[in-house]
Amino acid sequence: MLKLPENFIFGGATAAYQAEGAVDKDGKGRVAWDTFLEENYWYSAEPASDFYNRYPVDLKLAEEFGVNGIRISIAWSRIFPKGHGKVNKKGVEFYHNVIDEAHKRGVEPFITLHHFDTPEALHKNGDFLNRQNIEYFVEYAKFCFEEYGDKVNYWTTFNEIGPIGDGQYLAGKFPPGIKYDFSKVFQSHHNMMLAHAKTVKLFKQNNYPGEIGVVHALQTKYPYDKENPADVRAAELEDIIQNKFILDATYNGSYSQRTMDGVNHIFEANGGSLDLRDEDMKILNEAKDLNDFLGINHYMSDWMRAYDGETEIFHNSTGDEGTSAYRIKGVGEKVFDVDVPRTDWDWMIYPQGLYDQLIRVKEEYPNYKKIYITENGLGYKDEIKDGKVDDQPRIDYIKDYLTAVHKAIQDGVNVQGYFVWSLMDVFSWSNGYNKRYGLFYVDFDTQERTPKKSAYWYKELAESKEIK
């Protein structure tokens, strides 16, 4: 029997754009995704899971099924339709109502300020590549701290800075759809970490109540042939792109020489440069010990082989297993013919990868304070039959990953909660609606919720805290 700590959070995760719908209702401003989906994909985020209207239903389900924490993001453009300036009072009221309902149901809200949804007015002028937008973000964060601070105990600045830079400027699957531009990838990483650092400093200097942290998506990278130095180097370089550059900024307040050697190697192979200023590094350094927690989102591990051909990335958005391609000149390529199960979207199922990341944070960044697994879950083509959803593979997945978390706790990592992605089925950024993650099945035509087999299992887990 494996027992998790008594005070452990058994949470469910959501995000505003993926759950709320109401993308243009009650004064909400447009985000870049509105246009990007219209121009590039066959689906939209309207009505998604209609959380904007049905949040009382979802929070009641959370209470009934033992989910005692929920990740909710505030849509920046619902508060400031243009990213700054005039405040939308209806948007402000909506999040008061959601937070109050969460507390009423005994569900602790973990509030994220930015979950992939920069207001379109700011996104069009460079998103976080434009340093002025860093200041607008800090102003927006300050407004939220002062508006909701008496009822929010946990704040997250950003969700997944790494995948934002990757999606926007490397794979091109996020707006503005730019591919293979490493200057923009690393500058986005750096500038968003600068925005995080400035926001954390403001939070602490003003003595706002509660705790503040950041959520990073940590993808574990392994060499395809661990005896081959070229493959080992490929795994290291890919780790720098996705993980280490951002972790260094978070907890070291600087970029190690080894990290910068890797960045410069990538620039030499692909072109690029980086604008790092002395005042930036001063702010990063001042914030490095102020993070109250780290959120880790973990879905995948990759096996990397050395590669010097031309860069080619193809994103599997349809769930046709085996259609992904990921090769970066001078860095490496992902190899899929390893003896590891994977999802229909080519994401490797490897719980050891989460354990290794937890140990990595403990050993390489000992000034971390505590960790929440803020997202982890199985994307699956769930089907409802006779009013029931048998998603045993999801139960097996969560059980195996929580077992890895338990092992990390036993080995000295301070993990205090786990949030399954997602609480209910939601819209998926570059996959639409056939990729489902929720504990609760959503009929996107009727918006009816149906607890899946995994929801009943998760309830028992939350009550007993035993991984069975």
Side-chain angles (χ1 to χ4, degrees), residues 3-163:
K3 194 171 180 70
L4 291 161
E6 281 301 317
N7 62 349
F8 203 75
I9 294 284
F10 292 91
T14 70
Y17 196 74
Q18 294 178 264
E20 287 176 1
V23 296
D24 58 359
K25 302 295 191 299
D26 294 336
K28 183 182 186 295
R30 286 180 69 85
V31 300
W33 276 98
D34 294 332
T35 301
F36 194 70
L37 291 173
E38 290 167 5
E39 295 178 349
N40 295 279
Y41 288 101
W42 60 94
Y43 48 79
S44 75
E46 182 65 52
S49 314
D50 195 29
F51 188 72
Y52 191 73
N53 296 300
R54 297 175 186 266
Y55 67 88
V57 174
D58 292 317
L59 288 166
K60 185 173 185 288
L61 281 170
E63 178 187 32
E64 291 174 353
F65 281 81
V67 178
N68 62 353
I70 185 172
R71 283 192 68 205
I72 303 166
S73 74
I74 292 176
W76 184 353
S77 68
R78 217 179 270 289
I79 306 296
F80 292 98
K82 300 296 184 183
H84 63 101
K86 186 178 179 181
V87 174
N88 177 28
K89 292 183 179 179
K90 287 188 176 180
V92 174
E93 180 184 5
F94 169 68
Y95 291 108
H96 273 297
N97 293 339
V98 172
I99 294 166
D100 290 345
E101 185 71 19
H103 285 302
K104 172 186 171 183
R105 294 295 178 183
V107 182
E108 185 71 48
F110 285 63
I111 303 297
T112 303
L113 292 168
H114 183 281
H115 196 125
F116 296 3
D117 56 353
T118 303
E120 187 170 56
L122 303 185
H123 202 283
K124 281 182 174 179
N125 70 9
D127 201 12
F128 283 93
L129 297 177
N130 182 341
R131 287 175 176 259
Q132 179 58 51
N133 291 339
I134 296 175
E135 305 310 317
Y136 288 144
F137 177 79
V138 177
E139 291 172 12
Y140 153 63
K142 184 174 188 289
F143 176 89
C144 291
F145 296 152
E146 295 183 352
E147 182 69 30
Y148 305 110
D150 63 336
K151 56 180 74 171
V152 174
N153 296 314
Y154 300 94
W155 292 98
T156 295
T157 53
F158 291 100
N159 178 78
E160 299 190 350
I161 287 171

Side-chain angles (χ1 to χ4, degrees), residues 15-23 44-52 54 58 424-428 432-433 436 442-449:
Y17 196 74
Q18 294 178 264
E20 287 176 1
V23 296
S44 75
E46 182 65 52
S49 314
D50 195 29
F51 188 72
Y52 191 73
R54 297 175 186 266
D58 292 317
M424 64 291 196
D425 291 336
V426 297
F427 156 81
S428 187
Y433 292 96
R436 295 173 177 269
V442 175
D443 181 322
F444 292 108
D445 293 323
T446 67
Q447 292 298 329
E448 182 180 355
R449 272 63 166 156

Side-chain angles (χ1 to χ4, degrees), residues 61 384 387-389 439-443 448-452 455:
L61 281 170
I384 187 166
K388 297 181 179 180
V389 181
L439 296 174
F440 306 109
Y441 184 93
V442 175
D443 181 322
E448 182 180 355
R449 272 63 166 156
T450 300
K452 302 177 188 177

Side-chain angles (χ1 to χ4, degrees), residues 285-440:
N285 186 63
E286 290 169 346
K288 66 182 172 62
D289 295 317
L290 301 181
N291 299 286
D292 294 308
F293 62 87
L294 172 65
I296 294 179
N297 293 355
H298 182 86
Y299 294 99
M300 68 188 80
S301 298
D302 296 304
W303 280 258
M304 300 298 299
R305 181 166 56 199
Y307 177 77
D308 286 311
E310 293 304 308
T311 298
E312 177 190 18
I313 298 175
F314 179 79
H315 171 63
N316 174 357
S317 63
T318 59
D320 296 322
E321 185 178 343
T323 58
S324 298
Y326 186 96
R327 305 177 182 91
I328 298 177
K329 183 179 180 181
V331 175
E333 65 175 335
K334 293 182 182 179
V335 181
F336 295 100
D337 62 338
V338 293
D339 188 20
V340 174
R342 55 176 155 161
T343 73
D344 290 339
W345 287 266
D346 297 322
W347 293 13
M348 301 298 197
I349 301 172
Y350 191 67
Q352 180 70 29
L354 176 54
Y355 172 85
D356 288 345
Q357 283 294 347
L358 289 167
I359 296 298
R360 181 248 195 103
V361 171
K362 173 179 176 285
E363 293 181 348
E364 295 185 20
Y365 304 99
N367 58 328
Y368 92 98
K369 295 183 176 72
K370 61 180 176 179
I371 291 170
Y372 294 96
I373 308 304
T374 38
E375 286 183 30
N376 174 248
L378 178 65
Y380 198 65
K381 297 171 183 174
D382 293 318
E383 295 181 0
I384 187 166
K385 296 179 180 179
D386 300 322
K388 297 181 179 180
V389 181
D390 185 350
D391 60 340
Q392 184 64 41
R394 180 169 293 111
I395 295 171
D396 296 339
Y397 180 103
I398 296 172
K399 184 187 302 182
D400 289 346
Y401 274 90
L402 274 173
T403 298
V405 170
H406 180 272
K407 185 174 187 293
I409 293 172
Q410 295 297 108
D411 291 342
V413 184
N414 185 15
V415 185
Q416 296 200 1
Y418 174 94
F419 293 74
V420 63
W421 183 267
S422 50
L423 180 64
M424 64 291 196
D425 291 336
V426 297
F427 156 81
S428 187
W429 302 98
S430 54
N431 302 284
Y433 292 96
N434 72 333
K435 187 181 188 184
R436 295 173 177 269
Y437 282 91
L439 296 174
F440 306 109

